[in-house]
Amino acid sequence: MIQARAPHTVAVVGAGAAGAMTAIQLCETAARRRTPLDLVLVDPAPEAGRGTAYSTPDPRHRLNVPAGGMSCYPDDPGHLTRWLCRHGESGITAADFVPRYRFGAYVADTLGQAIVRAHGVVRVRRVRTRAQAWADGADGRMELRLADGELLAADSVVLATGPAAGNGGWAPPGLREWSRFIASPWAPGALEAPLGDTADVLLVGTGLTAVDLVLSLDRPGRALHALSRGGLVPQPHALTPAGAMAPPEGLRGASLERMRRSVYRHVGRAVRLHGDWRPALDSLRPLTAELWQGLTPHERAEFLERDGALWNTHRHRMSPPTGEALARARAARRLRVHAGRIAAAHPGADGTVTVTLADGRELRAGWVIDCTGPGPRPDDSLWRSLLDAGAAVSGPLGLGVATRDGRLLDAEGRAGRPLFTLGAPRRGELWETTAVPEIRTQAAELARDLLAPLTPAPRPSRRRPLDGHGLPLSTHAEAAAAHRAGLDRVLKVRSGAEDAFRRAVTLDPGFALGHAALALLGHECGADVDVPRALADAQRCAQERADDRERSFVDVVTHRVHGTDTDGSVLLRHLDGHPGDALALAAAVPTIAFSGVADLDDDYALPLVERASPAYDGHWFHTSLLAFLRQGQGRYHEAGELAHRALAAEPASGHAVHALAHVHYESGAHEAGRDWLDRWVSGQGRGAVHRAHFSWHIALHELALDDPAAVRRRWFAQLAPGRVQGVRALVDSGSLLWRARLSDSWPGEMPAEDVLDCVAREVVERPATAFTALHAAVALTAVGDVAALRRLRDHAAGADTVQREVIVPLCEAFTALVEERFQEAARGLDAVLPVLRRVGGSAAQREVVEETLLYALVAAGRCEAARRLLDSRLERKPAPRDRRLMAALPGR
């Protein structure tokens, strides 16, 4: 019998931020690649993800990097801010500095979610103890001796131990042995006694640790002394960040002296351009490791001695609120910062200590706290066992340990063992390596490199499953079946597509097309999807396992989400190469589910669908799209035949139903259209995604039939806020109310305010598209909000060409209408009508402007012009409401 090989075991020592991020990446990468893994997290802490830095419960201790730079994922910078918004902090932005304990909760939750998603592929175990020693084991494995006596065997070990503990070597013996000397301020209970009285405190060190302690210990009646060799304290971040800068030229390969001059000139240029030195220093961040590695050992030592403190206080900054609190304490003389070095310490009988500095000055305090920060290299029993065995050696200048791309180098300079580290132990190699932006990148690279040898190469001869149109899918049969179900629901415009695609990626986390479909649904259709996360997953998966068609589709979705495919060229190029990609074709042709590439009146839509015809061979989906395009051309008889043909093959085809709804309305078959569509909505249409839009079409028939009671019943039953939300409410519910009011079909109070209340204010006053802007203007006119109409106009004036040339004059005309300047309103609306089709949407949707013009003409006393407009409408499509309005006009 052939025995199955046990899964590869990875032991991650340390479950703080670095260890948790490593575990996140290992779980997600192994799940994507379907690589079985045993993952053991070794750390005595009660909760993973916090470590020393993020365990503080003090809300005054904030992150030193804005939330936008603290995501666990290097390819998804907004992940933290979205998590915070979902967990009770809706107003948070990427520029905010959140409390550190909230970040610790975020890392812990993200790790938990990664473990859940990897279930079945990765088995995770938490060992709440310390790893005390390392040794080579049998069969090429390694052994960790744990504090509880267990021996843990592992195939790979990741040492995510964080910054080394300080050794307090700077302190004179009399001070180190004093009962009120606190060597480890973050040890549990270490600060309970100082927090309980008002004795003066000496903080040795003026970096970020000292800053945190100032926030915790500052109170009236207490003096805080902060001492360091240079007396420099961290600089604050700017309240309003200045613009970004490119790094200066010529830094690579330069000597330290030349580099120093170049950086100082760069800082001066930043001050002249931006009034701030910070953009200059921030521009060096991507180059810091490379520049450090380019220096000679002598130059590195000189940099540490001469420039290190200045660099650290400007590079590692504190949040603006923290900076303000520090400034207040200094201004009140509760905090006094000193430059100097301790020469001697003399504890007194009164419980205080007198510290003598090298220049003879004396400081007196009731407590002394070591805030000098981490030691130069890890020095606990585990690391000592590695160093003693020659499995690790000190890094350059004694900083950290020697590494190559995260793997430990042994005494012979080889990276022979699967021993990895990240973060602070790599200081000697990288210099800047302790902040989350660096650690998360190292974690992703470490997971990729560690798992690369374990992932079997795909067998190209293996037959892949197909989607519903014969295109191969880079996944297994179960996930492919879920994907086919999702695609089928998208093409029918039915609910449940999101759940099906989510099931596909749950079954196969490495399925790029499933993640991309979710991102597209979230972006285009408002599905409950974390779009940036889904897109980042799709991009990762496409790099690891996808064919050309799938990679091209992921690229399409990427451009669509980022708004960089403004002319649709990326999507159209994809369809030229892959015309049978039904989801891409659905996204390209704007009928009801997606926004499409451009207006239906453009020349691209019909040739695009016709070119794709051979790939579909009369399939109901393709026939449905063709029906919709034909009605847009005014070829109603042909469109109706195509729609009926598609519905005969698939009665649930939402695109065909939508085409037929327009055919009925534009041809004036209001009774037949109302009855047919009402039956469909009550039957096959129960599962339609955009059921409210179909209800809107029925209500248009009822409005045209001059049945106001039916319109009101329909609105409250199927279109009122609560049943419809967001942009759909703005487009359908809001416009219907206004059209009903214009034709005297809605007596009494009109609930337009309720519609606006269920739409985000930003969508109303700063819409992304001209189509949304049109309907925002209609809703604002319905409630008479002139101030908001002017804000919308101002936004449109600075937006895209269509908003500038169509929405701006439309807002001005609507404003005139609200202010009862009817002549002016009529002129403005009449001028907009010929170019209105540029906003997109259907003729039935844009008709609201024509009906507003009719109202303005009558209100302005221009009855002859109103009669001509009604004549043309009745000639296009007869409607009892329009005949009533015509009869109500004064005589010729």
Side-chain angles (χ1 to χ4, degrees):
M1 178 183 292
I2 299 175
Q3 292 186 339
R5 188 185 185 280
H8 190 92
T9 298
V10 179
V12 178
V13 180
M21 289 183 188
T22 300
I24 290 167
Q25 293 292 342
L26 285 169
C27 284
E28 296 192 354
T29 305
R32 283 198 311 273
R33 299 180 180 183
R34 293 181 248 168
T35 303
L37 198 67
D38 278 351
L39 179 60
V40 185
L41 289 174
V42 183
D43 192 298
E47 184 180 16
R50 291 193 177 276
T52 300
Y54 308 113
S55 295
T56 170
D58 192 332
R60 293 167 294 189
H61 295 166
R62 296 175 179 269
L63 295 177
N64 298 312
V65 176
M70 292 291 285
S71 164
C72 284
Y73 298 101
D75 54 359
D76 184 7
H79 191 255
L80 169 60
T81 54
R82 298 196 305 278
W83 184 91
L84 289 166
C85 289
R86 290 195 304 271
H87 289 79
E89 300 190 38
S90 58
I92 207 75
T93 71
D96 290 326
F97 295 80
V98 300
R100 290 216 297 273
Y101 73 89
R102 292 291 284 153
F103 180 74
Y106 157 72
V107 177
D109 185 62
T110 303
L111 173 59
Q113 293 295 324
I115 291 172
V116 170
R117 288 193 298 269
H119 179 70
V121 179
V122 182
R123 185 171 58 188
V124 180
R125 181 162 65 105
R126 274 292 310 277
V127 179
R128 288 183 172 84
T129 187
R130 295 189 184 279
Q132 292 187 324
W134 168 94
D136 280 320
D139 301 326
R141 305 184 92 196
M142 294 169 288
E143 291 182 345
L144 294 174
R145 189 178 77 245
L146 307 182
D148 60 6
E150 179 186 351
L151 277 180
L152 173 63
D155 298 289
S156 301
V157 175
V158 179
L159 298 159
T161 51
N167 57 19
W170 54 268
L175 184 57
R176 281 202 302 271
E177 296 162 4
W178 186 45
S179 61
R180 287 195 166 194
F181 173 68
I182 300 176
S184 301
W186 302 127
L191 297 179
E192 288 178 4
L195 287 171
D197 59 37
T198 57
D200 293 352
V201 179
L202 171 61
L203 307 174
V204 183
T206 57
L208 292 171
T209 299
V211 168
D212 282 342
L213 291 179
V214 168
L215 298 179
S216 294
L217 303 178
D218 179 31
R219 65 200 57 200
R222 165 181 285 160
L224 297 172
H225 299 274
L227 170 72
S228 66
R229 286 195 302 167
L232 299 175
V233 297
Q235 294 294 306
H237 286 275
L239 280 171
T240 304
M245 291 182 70
E249 299 286 339
L251 289 181
R252 291 180 174 88
S255 67
L256 176 61
E257 184 55 37
R258 181 180 164 194
M259 195 182 298
R260 186 183 287 122
R261 290 197 302 269
S262 181
V263 168
Y264 274 112
R265 285 196 299 270
H266 188 52
V267 168
R269 188 159 53 249
V271 172
R272 291 192 299 274
L273 290 173
H274 301 287
D276 189 358
W277 50 266
R278 294 170 183 83
L281 218 59
D282 293 342
S283 72
L284 302 176
R285 185 166 194 161
L287 301 177
T288 303
E290 182 183 352
L291 298 178
W292 173 260
Q293 291 167 343
L295 297 176
T296 66
H298 174 76
E299 287 175 322
R300 292 183 189 179
E302 181 187 340
F303 171 80
L304 293 178
E305 178 65 26
R306 178 174 168 182
D307 307 295
L310 188 63
W311 169 269
N312 284 330
T313 54
H314 287 75
R315 169 66 186 82
H316 300 285
R317 303 192 281 272
M318 54 185 168
S319 71
T322 301
E324 291 170 6
L326 207 71
R328 286 195 299 270
R330 295 187 76 172
R333 299 288 292 165
R334 295 194 305 273
L335 170 64
R336 301 164 193 178
V337 179
H338 310 274
R341 185 168 49 84
I342 294 178
H346 305 284
D350 60 353
T352 65
V353 66
T354 300
V355 171
T356 303
L357 305 185
D359 61 3
R361 286 177 295 155
E362 291 185 345
L363 298 173
R364 192 177 178 205
W367 294 88
V368 178
I369 304 178
D370 185 353
C371 303
T372 55
R377 74 173 191 183
D379 193 34
D380 62 14
S381 62
L382 173 62
W383 278 103
R384 282 197 299 273
S385 71
L386 286 158
L387 292 163
D388 292 344
V393 294
S394 294
L397 304 179
L399 297 176
V401 293
T403 59
R404 181 184 303 135
D405 298 327
R407 291 187 73 148
L408 268 63
L409 299 181
D410 61 20
E412 297 180 10
R414 299 174 306 184
R417 294 180 179 86
L419 280 166
F420 301 82
T421 192
L422 73 165
R426 297 184 66 183
R427 283 184 70 205
E429 178 193 3
L430 303 175
W431 174 238
E432 286 290 346
T433 180
T434 57
V436 164
E438 284 77 34
I439 289 173
R440 68 190 181 194
T441 300
Q442 293 173 29
E445 292 170 349
L446 190 156
R448 181 196 63 206
D449 295 345
L450 190 155
L451 293 174
L454 309 179
T455 305
R459 291 176 291 180
S461 60
R462 199 188 101 193
R463 184 177 176 183
R464 291 188 291 163
L466 306 177
D467 72 2
H469 298 271
L471 298 177
L473 300 171
S474 297
T475 187
H476 53 69
E478 293 82 0
H483 182 80
R484 283 194 296 271
L487 179 59
D488 183 64
R489 289 182 173 276
V490 168
L491 301 187
K492 292 175 182 175
V493 199
R494 294 183 74 78
S495 60
E498 171 196 341
D499 292 337
F501 288 133
R502 204 183 300 280
R503 175 168 169 75
V505 298
T506 299
L507 290 167
D508 180 6
F511 183 26
L513 215 55
H515 291 295
L518 279 172
L520 185 65
L521 286 186
H523 176 69
E524 291 277 330
C525 306
D528 184 18
V529 175
D530 187 341
V531 174
R533 183 78 245 124
L535 182 59
D537 286 336
Q539 292 166 337
R540 285 191 200 172
C541 297
Q543 293 173 356
E544 296 178 355
R545 171 164 46 97
D547 62 19
D548 288 343
R549 195 263 304 191
E550 292 166 323
R551 283 191 292 271
S552 176
F553 184 79
V554 170
D555 190 46
V556 165
V557 177
T558 300
H559 281 282
R560 208 163 173 90
V561 169
H562 292 161
T564 51
D565 189 23
T566 53
D567 60 355
S569 59
V570 176
L571 176 52
L572 296 177
R573 190 163 55 247
H574 172 80
L575 283 167
D576 283 340
H578 311 283
D581 192 332
L583 186 54
L585 186 62
V589 181
T591 57
I592 184 171
F594 297 101
S595 62
V597 173
D599 298 346
L600 281 175
D601 298 309
D602 287 351
D603 293 334
Y604 90 92
L606 187 58
L608 176 66
V609 174
E610 289 176 336
R611 282 200 309 272
S613 181
Y616 293 91
D617 192 25
H619 190 275
W620 58 264
F621 165 64
H622 183 268
T623 305
S624 301
L625 292 187
L626 196 56
F628 196 85
L629 294 174
R630 291 299 187 215
Q631 69 80 25
Q633 294 177 303
R635 297 161 65 172
Y636 301 122
H637 180 73
E638 184 180 352
E641 287 188 344
L642 289 167
H644 283 297
R645 187 189 309 166
L647 289 167
E650 178 46 74
S653 172
H655 292 295
V657 171
H658 195 206
L660 201 54
H662 279 278
V663 168
H664 284 140
Y665 183 74
E666 299 299 344
S667 59
H670 297 302
E671 289 185 355
R674 175 199 61 193
D675 295 344
W676 184 90
L677 194 52
D678 202 15
R679 285 194 302 272
W680 185 85
V681 166
S682 302
Q684 289 285 350
R686 284 185 179 276
V689 174
H690 299 288
R691 194 163 180 256
H693 187 65
F694 293 118
S695 297
W696 174 81
H697 271 281
I698 302 172
L700 281 192
H701 286 306
E702 292 168 339
L703 199 60
L705 290 167
D706 214 14
D707 190 349
V711 172
R712 288 175 67 93
R713 285 195 302 271
R714 181 83 51 188
W715 196 89
F716 283 111
Q718 298 171 357
L719 289 162
R723 301 183 181 278
V724 190
Q725 294 291 329
V727 174
R728 189 85 268 165
L730 190 69
V731 171
D732 293 334
S733 309
S735 68
L736 180 67
L737 281 178
W738 180 238
R739 292 169 83 153
R741 168 54 62 86
L742 291 173
S743 59
D744 298 324
S745 299
W746 194 286
E749 186 177 351
M750 186 172 58
E753 287 280 6
D754 296 343
V755 173
L756 286 171
D757 287 343
C758 75
V759 187
R761 204 68 189 171
E762 176 146 343
V763 172
V764 175
E765 295 186 9
R766 292 181 292 282
T769 67
F771 179 75
T772 304
L774 162 64
H775 288 86
V778 167
L780 293 172
T781 302
V783 300
D785 193 338
V786 170
L789 271 170
R790 287 176 175 149
R791 290 194 293 271
L792 176 59
R793 177 203 60 194
D794 293 343
H795 162 78
D800 58 78
T801 304
V802 178
Q803 292 206 50
R804 289 197 303 272
E805 296 179 0
V806 181
I807 300 303
V808 168
L810 188 69
C811 286
E812 291 170 348
F814 279 154
T815 299
L817 187 79
V818 173
E819 294 177 342
E820 300 186 356
R821 293 180 282 115
F822 297 117
Q823 287 280 13
E824 188 178 337
R827 284 195 299 271
L829 293 169
D830 191 47
V832 165
L833 274 183
V835 295
L836 191 61
R837 63 173 50 184
R838 296 173 61 193
V839 305
S842 66
Q845 289 169 317
R846 297 189 298 267
E847 197 176 51
V848 66
V849 176
E850 183 182 72
E851 293 178 358
T852 308
L853 171 60
L854 179 61
Y855 176 86
L857 289 171
V858 173
R862 296 175 56 189
C863 295
E864 194 56 40
R867 185 174 287 106
R868 287 195 301 271
L869 181 56
L870 278 170
D871 275 336
S872 69
R873 284 168 60 88
L874 287 166
E875 186 177 345
R876 289 199 313 268
K877 54 178 182 287
R881 178 200 54 185
D882 284 358
R883 285 197 290 268
R884 172 176 62 82
L885 293 174
M886 177 73 86
L889 290 174
R892 296 180 184 275

